[in-house]
């Protein structure tokens, strides 16, 4: 008799991702790269070793023949199911499997819970396994600050261990919540595209469960007798995502019927395809709207479709030093009016001490 259908589903999802990791790991550095590889931040082993040498640190060892894949595990149902599937599939493939748990220090006893997760991951024969404690700031609100601290810790752990990938346990339900949050913020099609199956430096973060619902993942834990921890923050109405999960989505399903989660996840994929196409168009258009000195020409920007023009502007603002996570639709609208509604406006101050102004038919973007 085979495994329970829920267990089979999570293992299959992880197996597919591990096959992708293996293919990419053994692919020559500059051969048959994905089309978006050039847009990713440099993180390949080649870059890592070069940076280590440039900084005067001890030369890192040659890359092993077997890639290391880490699972980010909080001890909750999603990440515990992911850890168990990784441990099972890694034994059958040429993959080393390890685990990282992040202690946010936001609740009493969080250190003990992190130690328990380490014990459970070690019992699955994952290696290396470690707990990393972080300090959560206040910038952007509690949820954003915790997320920033967590990803910073995971990035550091991946670099420290030379991991080829870090698996995250986000499910289709998480994707639906992310789409609704983006819709509420009015952030545009990129926000509606939700979470990518692969993201981060060189596609470091992989999300195998985006096509699986939370109920199936919990069922997989139950039938395998995996102990799980339910974070009280996930039911705390003080957090926006918690309110959406326990009040907003159930209300939508009551009003619109079942299938809302699946429809939102489908919207995310369609939006991502559209956003990727527009980003590619904008990257190509940017080359044609600059003068011989590299400055943006307002007349040439004006004739671009608004969706493409605003992407060109966003790219230019980020290049000048504006933090991507702090650039909102209202900022782009103000800069866009320098192109489409010019009435002699003053310079516009933007996040990251960046300012944009119109001078002599050119859009000047610089640090203030």
């Amino acid at each position: 008799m085979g495994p329970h259908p829920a267990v089979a589903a999570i293992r299959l999802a992880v197996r597919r991702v591990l096959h992708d990791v293996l293919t990419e790991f053994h692919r020559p550095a500059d051969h048959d790269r994905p089309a978006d590889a050039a847009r990713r931040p440099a993180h390949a082993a080649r870059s890592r070793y070069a940076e280590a040498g440039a900084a005067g640190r001890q030369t890192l060892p040659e890359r092993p023949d077997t890639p290391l894949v880490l699972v980010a595990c909080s001890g909750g149902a999603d990440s515990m199911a992911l850890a168990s599937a990784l441990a099972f599939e890694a034994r059958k493939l040429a993959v080393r499997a390890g685990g990282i748990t992040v202690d946010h220090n936001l609740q009493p006893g969080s250190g003990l819970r992190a130690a328990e997760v380490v014990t459970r991951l070690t019992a699955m024969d994952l290696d290396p396994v470690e707990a990393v404690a972080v300090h959560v700031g206040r910038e952007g609100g509690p949820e954003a600050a915790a997320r920033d601290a967590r990803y910073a810790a995971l990035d550091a752990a991946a670099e420290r261990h030379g991991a080829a990938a870090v698996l995250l346990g986000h499910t289709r339900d998480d994707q639906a919540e992310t789409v609704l949050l983006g819709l509420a913020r009015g952030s545009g099609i990129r926000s509606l595209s939700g979470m990518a199956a692969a993201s981060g430096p060189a596609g470091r973060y992989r999300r195998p469960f985006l096509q699986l619902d939370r109920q199936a993942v919990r069922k997989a834990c139950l039938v395998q007798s995996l102990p799980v921890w339910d974070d009280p923050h996930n039911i705390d109405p003080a957090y926006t995502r918690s309110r959406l999960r326990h009040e907003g989505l159930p209300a939508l399903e009551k009003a619109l019927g079942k299938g809302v989660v699946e429809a939102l996840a489908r919207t995310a994929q369609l939006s991502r395809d559209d956003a990727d196409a527009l980003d590619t168009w904008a990257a190509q258009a940017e080359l044609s709207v600059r003068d011989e000195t590299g400055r943006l020409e307002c007349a040439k920007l004006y004739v671009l479709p608004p969706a493409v023009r605003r992407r060109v502007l966003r790219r230019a603002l980020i290049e000048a030093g504006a933090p991507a996570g702090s650039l909102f639709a209202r900022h782009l609208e103000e800069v866009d009016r320098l192109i489409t509604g010019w009435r002699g406006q003053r310079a516009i101050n933007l996040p990251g001490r960046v300012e944009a102004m119109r001078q002599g038919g050119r859009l000047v973007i610089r640090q203030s």
Side-chain angles (χ1 to χ4, degrees):
M1 181 183 298
H4 186 279
V7 176
I10 66 171
R11 289 177 178 174
L12 176 60
V14 169
R15 188 184 316 142
R16 287 171 173 166
V17 168
L18 294 183
H19 278 300
D20 290 342
V21 170
L22 280 167
T23 299
E24 295 164 14
F25 184 81
H26 293 297
R27 179 184 296 150
D30 294 313
H31 179 65
D32 289 340
R33 292 191 303 166
D36 65 339
R39 298 198 298 269
R40 294 172 179 164
H43 172 67
R46 169 178 52 80
S47 300
R48 214 162 30 88
Y49 302 145
E51 290 167 5
R57 296 192 294 271
Q58 183 178 357
T59 302
L60 292 173
E62 290 296 322
R63 187 179 73 169
D65 292 334
T66 306
L68 171 65
V69 176
L70 299 175
V71 58
C73 186
S74 66
D78 301 344
S79 58
M80 285 298 294
L82 183 58
S84 71
L86 172 61
F88 181 85
E89 294 297 331
R91 297 187 191 105
K92 302 188 295 181
L93 299 171
V95 174
R96 294 178 295 134
I100 302 293
T101 186
V102 178
D103 175 11
H104 296 84
N105 284 303
L106 294 177
Q107 303 171 27
S110 62
L112 291 176
R113 279 190 291 274
E116 290 174 358
V117 173
V118 167
T119 299
R120 292 171 187 170
L121 296 181
T122 302
M124 294 179 183
D125 293 329
L126 299 184
D127 181 40
V129 173
E130 68 172 324
V132 181
V134 298
H135 170 72
V136 177
R138 298 182 179 181
E139 185 175 355
E143 292 167 287
R147 182 177 61 249
D148 290 345
R150 179 168 59 254
Y151 276 102
L154 293 175
D155 278 334
E159 293 283 355
R160 186 165 58 252
H161 294 290
V166 178
L167 305 188
L168 304 176
H170 297 121
T171 64
R172 186 168 61 191
D173 299 76
D174 296 307
Q175 185 75 298
E177 294 162 9
T178 301
V179 172
L180 283 176
L181 289 170
L183 182 64
R185 288 193 297 264
S187 302
I189 194 171
R190 176 56 71 185
S191 185
L192 293 182
S193 65
M195 296 174 286
S199 64
R204 167 183 292 158
Y205 295 108
R206 308 297 175 101
R207 298 177 175 87
F209 290 170
L210 285 183
Q211 301 302 318
L212 301 177
D213 61 56
R214 189 175 291 138
Q215 184 177 1
V217 174
R218 280 192 166 273
K219 184 66 174 179
C221 289
L222 179 63
V223 299
Q224 295 179 100
S225 300
L226 293 175
V228 299
W229 172 66
D230 290 316
D231 188 346
H233 283 174
N234 290 335
I235 58 173
D236 188 344
Y239 295 95
T240 304
R241 186 177 286 269
S242 175
R243 294 196 302 274
L244 179 60
R245 179 174 301 175
H246 298 288
E247 300 173 23
L249 269 173
L252 280 175
E253 290 196 333
K254 182 178 180 180
L256 303 176
K258 295 293 184 181
V260 170
V261 168
E262 292 85 345
L264 288 169
R266 189 162 55 249
T267 296
Q269 185 57 59
L270 294 172
S271 298
R272 180 166 297 280
D273 292 343
D274 290 348
D276 288 345
L278 287 169
D279 285 346
T280 300
W281 187 355
Q284 296 168 346
E286 185 176 1
L287 301 176
S288 67
V289 297
R290 292 186 181 273
D291 62 18
E292 62 278 2
T293 66
R295 292 183 299 173
L296 293 167
E297 298 187 64
C298 295
K300 293 180 178 179
L301 283 167
Y302 183 84
V303 299
L304 291 176
V308 177
R309 182 175 60 245
R310 287 172 183 167
R311 278 169 167 76
V312 171
L313 296 177
R314 188 174 188 274
R315 287 166 61 96
L317 294 172
I318 293 172
E319 184 179 347
S326 300
L327 278 177
F328 301 122
R330 67 177 186 274
H331 297 130
L332 293 177
E333 289 169 2
E334 290 180 26
V335 177
D336 196 42
R337 278 195 287 270
L338 295 176
I339 310 298
T340 62
W342 174 241
R343 298 184 305 277
Q345 296 100 310
R346 295 181 178 179
I348 297 171
N349 295 317
L350 299 157
R353 299 183 62 186
V354 171
E355 66 176 13
M357 67 186 74
R358 180 165 173 159
Q359 291 180 343
R362 304 292 191 272
L363 185 66
V364 179
I365 301 173
R366 64 190 182 192
Q367 287 281 333
S368 60

